[in-house]
């Protein structure tokens, strides 16, 4: 069984190696071989696989999705688990705000570093990747480094009112994730409280991996580009 959540850019694990073996067996070149590291060579090979499946140039971005990886697994003889392993039911999500969390970049950075360690995201997601995209830019734009921030006016602000006084699916916390996004991308080993800094940022990281493939593709995280919802 190969977990989609493990086959992400920059990750190093056996699921990446299985994917690389499958790509090589299918005739796609990875010069360094099946190293178990999802690097630029692996991304190029995966993009070629996506094009073979009929993806357009824009769709063939080299970042695995459930459908394309499942088809590769079917050809190579492995099954794919698309559901994030730490996912929780939405009725488990809790909405109690934090106490005594300073509103500062230094505090937010510490939590972001821990979230990267929990999820396996590279440290450069905090300090900045090649195009300077980083979590701190995203968090500042989303919440001004306020761990208890809640948006009661956006399009997601629907559902029953919770103990924090806001509707169920309002965007909350440092990274402004909705309850549905938080539950679907919840990181195993973190709190079920959506305002919890590490749990909130970890869910955002997992969401970015699943939707964008890498933080470099998130405009909201790029200080060189205008703010844009992610």
């Amino acid at each position: 069984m190969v977990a989609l959540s493990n086959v992400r850019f920059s990750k190093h694990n056996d699921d990446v190696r299985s994917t690389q073996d499958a790509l090589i067996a299918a005739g796609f070149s990875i010069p360094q071989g099946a190293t178990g590291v999802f690097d630029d060579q692996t991304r190029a090979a995966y993009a070629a696989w996506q094009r073979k499946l009929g993806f357009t140039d824009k769709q063939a971005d080299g970042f695995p999705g459930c459908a394309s990886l499942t088809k590769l697994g079917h050809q190579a003889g492995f099954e794919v688990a698309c559901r994030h392993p730490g996912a929780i039911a939405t009725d488990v999500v809790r909405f109690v705000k934090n106490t005594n969390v300073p509103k500062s970049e230094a505090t937010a950075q510490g939590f972001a570093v821990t979230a990267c360690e929990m999820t396996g995201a590279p440290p450069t997601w905090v300090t900045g990747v090649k195009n300077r995209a980083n979590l701190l830019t995203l968090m500042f734009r989303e919440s001004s480094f306020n761990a208890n921030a809640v948006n009661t006016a956006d399009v997601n602000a629907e559902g029953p009112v919770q103990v924090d006084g806001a509707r169920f699916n309002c965007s909350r916390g440092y990274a402004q994730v909705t309850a549905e996004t938080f539950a679907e991308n919840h990181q195993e080993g973190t709190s079920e409280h959506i305002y919890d800094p590490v749990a909130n940022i970890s869910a955002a990281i997992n969401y970015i991996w699943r939707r964008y493939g890498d933080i470099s593709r998130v405009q909201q995280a790029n200080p060189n580009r205008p703010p844009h919802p992610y």
Side-chain angles (χ1 to χ4, degrees), residues 110-124:
F111 288 128
V113 169
T114 301
C116 284
E117 292 171 350
M118 292 291 295
T119 59
T124 50

Side-chain angles (χ1 to χ4, degrees), residues 11 16 39 62 105 111 124 127 131 137 140 163-164 176 188 191 201-202 225 229:
K11 283 205 169 187
V16 171
D39 54 12
E105 180 175 352
F111 288 128
T124 50
T127 58
N131 69 350
T137 295
F140 177 73
V163 296
D164 61 351
Q176 289 292 280
E188 187 175 8
S191 172
I201 301 168
S202 295
R225 301 185 67 190

Side-chain angles (χ1 to χ4, degrees), residues 74-91:
H74 181 74
Q75 182 170 300
F78 60 76
E79 295 183 356
V80 176
C82 292
R83 186 174 185 268
H84 194 274
I88 58 177
T90 54
D91 61 2

